[in-house]
Amino acid sequence: MKFRIILAATALALAATTPSLFAQGSMHHHGHAPSPAMTAAEVRAIDPGTNRITLRHEAAQDAGMPAMTMAFGMAKGLALPAGLKAGDKVQVRIEDVGGTPTVTRLTR
Ligand SMILES: [Cu+2]
């Protein structure tokens, strides 16, 4: 019995002395930037070998890019619509992944 009381007291003391842990957790939860908006684009080329996709995209405010044609990395596990090919009109989410402009979502 005494042992259980000591454990409970220790847990309380830990909670009281580590408020930053709890604060950090809640800040993280509320601190996520909203997902970047989808940007209209047209597929120019898909290269599964290098996991890259070339798009002619409209201005992407969140990525700070005017309209242009460029190659993007494709995020791990990115689901491409079946039969996607050059010329298809799509909507993409562009995000910086480790310094590489990357398509993290693509819909047709
Ligand atoms: Cu661009």
Side-chain angles (χ1 to χ4, degrees):
M1 267 316 196
K2 248 183 198 165
F3 184 60
R4 280 194 179 185
I5 290 161
I6 290 163
L7 269 183
T10 305
L12 277 174
L14 269 175
T17 56
T18 56
S20 61
L21 267 181
F22 295 90
Q24 216 170 26
S26 79
M27 289 240 328
H28 183 72
H29 180 75
H30 295 289
H32 279 296
S35 291
M38 300 291 276
T39 300
E42 184 186 305
V43 176
R44 283 302 167 88
I46 306 165
D47 186 350
T50 58
N51 205 41
R52 290 179 82 72
I53 185 167
T54 304
L55 302 171
R56 184 186 59 75
H57 69 78
E58 298 302 319
Q61 307 291 350
D62 296 312
M65 288 192 286
M68 68 179 82
T69 298
M70 62 181 280
F72 290 92
M74 292 193 278
K76 268 197 191 104
L78 176 70
L80 295 178
L84 188 73
K85 62 188 185 310
D88 286 355
K89 300 278 198 291
V90 295
Q91 295 280 324
V92 292
R93 180 178 292 154
I94 299 166
E95 294 184 77
D96 184 302
V97 176
T100 303
T102 302
V103 174
T104 58
R105 185 159 185 249
L106 189 152
T107 60
R108 186 157 48 182

